[in-house]
C-alpha cells in the first residue's frame, strides 16, 4: 500500500454542522489522523438526516476516517486536556462563535505559545470580525446572501435555496485548500497561522462574474430557471418515457452539432447563432427545436444519438441511477465499506484520485467516544481517571 499524502498530520476537529467537519474529513481521506472532539452528548450531525436502527447515516459519511473523543470544553479540566491535545496537533478546525475559544483560554495566542506551528482554521458564518460576526451562521444564510438564491429559480418564481448543504460543501473544500496552503507555508516560515473562513464568501467566487458585471455595467443577473444568459440551448428536456436529460452548448461547435442532430441546421446560418450570448436571446426558438426532438424519443435513444454526434448531454439521475451507472462504477465513485454497526454500506468515495498517494476511506463514522480512552491514554489518563472524568461530565 502506498503512503498517503497527509500521513503524520494530526488534526483536531472541534467543529459541527457541516463545513468545518467536512474539511477535516477531506484531510482524513488522505491519511491525516483526525480526532473528532465531541461534546459528551455527541455531535449534532449524528442525529441529522436519515437514520437506520437509530444510527445516523450522514454521520457515517461525515465522520469517516476520524476517531471520536468526548470532551466538554466548557470545563476547566476539558480545557486543560484540550491544550495538551493542541500542543501535539498540526491543525485545529473549529466553528464556535468568535471569542468562544478565547473565553475558554484556548485562543490562538495561548495554543501557539506551546505549538508555534499550529494551523487554526476558524469556520463561521460571517468571519471573525465585522458587524455580523456575532450572529449565528449557517449555509442557508450564505446561499441567500451570496446571490445564489437570487439567481436560482424560475423567472416568475421566488428565489430558490438548494435542498442540500451547498454553501457548507463549497466552504469545506475551500477550508481544506486553505489549511493545505497554511501547512505548505509553514515549511518555509516554520510558523502556523489562523485561517478565517466565512461561509458567506466562497460562493461569491463560484458564482462567477456577478460582482464584476454589476460594478462595471450595473447589470444584475436575472433568474432564468434552467436556461442560461450566456448560451443556448441549455435546459432540461423531457423524453417520451418520462425521464429527463440536460443539454449544454457552452462551446460553439457543440451548439452546431446539436442543431444538426435535431434537424435544424439552417439555424446555424443565422447571424445571431455565432455567439453564446446572442443565441441566448433566441432561447425559445432553440428550446423548441431541441425539446420537440427529445420529446419524441426515449432517454437511451437520446443519449446514444448525442454521443454519436459528439454533442453534450447527460441523463438527470437520482441516487439509484448513480449507483447503477457504468462510468461511476468504473471510476469507483461510490464505495462499499463495512461498518461495525450497520454492516456493509455505500457512500461517495474520495472525490479525486492521486496516481502515487491516493486517498482512502478506511473507516466509517465511529461510535460516540469510541476512541476516548485510547487518545487520553497518550496523556497519562488511565481507566480510573477516565471514569472520574466521565462522572464529572468532562469526557
Amino acid at each position: 500500500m502506498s503512503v498517503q499524502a497527509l500521513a503524520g498530520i494530526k488534526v483536531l476537529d472541534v467543529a459541527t454542522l457541516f463545513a468545518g467537519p467536512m474539511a477535516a474529513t477531506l484531510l482524513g481521506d488522505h491519511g491525516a489522523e483526525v480526532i473528532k472532539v465531541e461534546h459528551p452528548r455527541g455531535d449534532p450531525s449524528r442525529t441529522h438526516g436519515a437514520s437506520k436502527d437509530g444510527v445516523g447515516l450522514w454521520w457515517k459519511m461525515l465522520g469517516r476516517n476520524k476517531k471520536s473523543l468526548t470532551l466538554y470544553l466548557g470545563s476547566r479540566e476539558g480545557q486543560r486536556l484540550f491544550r495538551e491535545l493542541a500542543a501535539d496537533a498540526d491543525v485545529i478546525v473549529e466553528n464556535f462563535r468568535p471569542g468562544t475559544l478565547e473565553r475558554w483560554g484556548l485562543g490562538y495566542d495561548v495554543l501557539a505559545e506551546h505549538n508555534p506551528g499550529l494551523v487554526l482554521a476558524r469556520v463561521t458564518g460571517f468571519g471573525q470580525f465585522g458587524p455580523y460576526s456575532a450572529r449565528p451562521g449557517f449555509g442557508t444564510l450564505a446561499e441567500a446572501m451570496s446571490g445564489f438564491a437570487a439567481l436560482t429559480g424560475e423567472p416568475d418564481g421566488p428565489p430558490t435555496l438548494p435542498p442540500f448543504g451547498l454553501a457548507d460543501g463549497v466552504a469545506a473544500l475551500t477550508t481544506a485548500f486553505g489549511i493545505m496552503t497554511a501547512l505548505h507555508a509553514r515549511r518555509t516560515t516554520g510558523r502556523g497561522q489562523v485561517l478565517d473562513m466565512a461561509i458567506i464568501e466562497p460562493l461569491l467566487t463560484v458564482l462567477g462574474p456577478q460582482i464584476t458585471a454589476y460594478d462595471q455595467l450595473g447589470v444584475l443577473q436575472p433568474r432564468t430557471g434552467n436556461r442560461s444568459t450566456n448560451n443556448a440551448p441549455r435546459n432540461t428536456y423531457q423524453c417520451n418515457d418520462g425521464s429527463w436529460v440536460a443539454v449544454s452548448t457552452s462551446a460553439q461547435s457543440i451548439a452546431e452539432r446539436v442543431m444538426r442532430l435535431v434537424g435544424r441546421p439552417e439555424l446555424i446560418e443565422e447571424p445571431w447563432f455565432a455567439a453564446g450570448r446572442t443565441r441566448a436571446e433566441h432561447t425559445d426558438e432553440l428550446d423548441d427545436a431541441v425539446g420537440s426532438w427529445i420529446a419524441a424519443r426515449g432517454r437511451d435513444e437520446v443519449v446514444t444519438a448525442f454521443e454519436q454526434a459528439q454533442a453534450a448531454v447527460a441523463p438527470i439521475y437520482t441516487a439509484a441511477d448513480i449507483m447503477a451507472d457504468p462510468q461511476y462504477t468504473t471510476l469507483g465513485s461510490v464505495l462499499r465499506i463495512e461498518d461495525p454497526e450497520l454492516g456493509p454500506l455505500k457512500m461517495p468515495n474520495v472525490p479525486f484520485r492521486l496516481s502515487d498517494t491516493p486517498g482512502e476511506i478506511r473507516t466509517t463514522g465511529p461510535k460516540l467516544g469510541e476512541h476516548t480512552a485510547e487518545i487520553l491514554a497518550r496523556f497519562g489518563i488511565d481507566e480510573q481517571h477516565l471514569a472520574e472524568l466521565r462522572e464529572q461530565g468532562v469526557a
Side-chain angles (χ1 to χ4, degrees):
M1 177 180 172
S2 60
V3 175
Q4 291 193 291
L6 300 183
I9 296 295
K10 296 180 181 179
V11 179
L12 300 179
D13 172 12
V14 292
T16 57
L17 300 176
F18 282 99
M22 192 182 301
T25 299
L26 296 171
L27 302 181
D29 287 349
H30 289 276
E33 181 188 27
V34 181
I35 297 174
K36 178 68 179 181
V37 182
E38 303 183 67
H39 191 286
R41 292 194 302 266
D43 188 283
S45 64
R46 289 181 176 274
T47 57
H48 203 90
S51 64
K52 180 182 178 183
D53 301 331
V55 178
L57 300 180
W58 201 334
W59 166 253
K60 287 299 176 183
M61 175 183 168
L62 191 65
R64 72 189 191 209
N65 293 334
K66 297 181 183 180
K67 297 178 177 180
S68 173
L69 163 69
T70 52
L71 196 63
Y72 176 45
L73 298 184
S75 67
R76 288 192 177 183
E77 183 62 9
Q79 293 156 9
R80 184 190 69 79
L81 289 170
F82 187 79
R83 282 191 287 269
E84 291 198 38
L85 287 164
D88 190 44
D90 296 284
V91 178
I92 296 174
V93 184
E94 65 98 2
N95 71 337
F96 298 107
R97 291 197 197 185
T100 301
L101 287 185
E102 287 76 8
R103 190 171 69 251
W104 287 339
L106 302 175
Y108 186 73
D109 57 338
V110 174
L111 301 180
E113 184 178 349
H114 301 284
N115 184 357
L118 181 67
V119 173
L120 175 61
R122 315 195 75 168
V123 185
T124 58
F126 302 101
Q128 294 296 308
F129 57 91
Y132 303 160
S133 60
R135 294 181 181 179
F138 298 96
T140 297
L141 309 187
E143 289 145 11
M145 290 182 62
S146 65
F148 174 85
L151 301 178
T152 307
E154 295 299 325
D156 57 351
T160 302
L161 296 167
F164 63 97
L166 174 65
D168 280 293
V170 173
L173 292 165
T174 310
T175 300
F177 173 70
I179 289 169
M180 296 311 302
T181 302
L183 288 175
H184 181 74
R186 188 178 69 175
R187 298 172 64 181
T188 301
T189 67
R191 301 188 305 276
Q193 56 187 299
V194 177
L195 166 61
D196 179 6
M197 171 56 62
I199 298 175
I200 60 171
E201 289 186 297
L203 276 178
L204 297 180
T205 298
V206 172
L207 288 170
Q210 61 161 344
I211 300 296
T212 306
Y214 181 71
D215 172 65
Q216 295 296 303
L217 303 173
V219 172
L220 292 174
Q221 183 175 331
R223 287 194 291 281
T224 56
N226 291 321
R227 293 176 168 182
S228 170
T229 57
N230 299 315
N231 65 80
R234 190 265 196 182
N235 211 329
T236 59
Y237 307 92
Q238 190 168 26
C239 306
N240 68 3
D241 56 9
S243 61
W244 292 79
V245 297
V247 172
S248 173
T249 57
S250 295
Q252 180 68 24
S253 60
I254 298 294
E256 294 175 6
R257 292 170 193 167
V258 170
M259 289 301 105
R260 293 190 186 100
L261 173 64
V262 302
R264 298 296 302 275
E266 75 280 3
L267 293 176
I268 300 172
E269 305 305 320
E270 296 287 345
W272 51 261
F273 197 88
R277 178 161 291 279
T278 49
R279 290 202 312 272
E281 296 170 358
H282 295 261
T283 296
D284 287 342
E285 184 176 2
L286 294 172
D287 266 352
D288 180 67
V290 176
S292 60
W293 187 90
I294 289 175
R297 293 161 173 81
R299 186 178 78 178
D300 291 345
E301 181 183 353
V302 170
V303 171
T304 298
F306 266 74
E307 184 175 346
Q308 291 173 347
Q310 298 184 48
V313 71
I316 292 179
Y317 275 175
T318 65
D321 297 313
I322 292 168
M323 292 169 71
D325 181 84
Q327 182 64 28
Y328 280 125
T329 299
T330 302
L331 292 174
S333 306
V334 177
L335 179 72
R336 183 180 184 271
I337 186 169
E338 193 72 23
D339 178 75
E341 294 180 278
L342 299 176
L345 58 80
K346 294 181 179 181
M347 67 174 65
N349 207 342
V350 179
F352 59 87
R353 286 163 293 281
L354 292 174
S355 61
D356 191 43
T357 57
E360 178 188 19
I361 299 177
R362 301 174 300 281
T363 61
T364 57
K367 295 180 181 178
L368 178 61
E370 181 175 335
H371 304 92
T372 300
E374 169 197 332
I375 295 165
L376 292 186
R378 303 176 189 176
F379 304 97
I381 305 296
D382 58 19
E383 291 185 10
Q384 181 179 349
H385 192 176
L386 178 58
E388 294 171 356
L389 292 174
R390 284 175 170 159
E391 185 175 344
Q392 298 163 8
V394 174

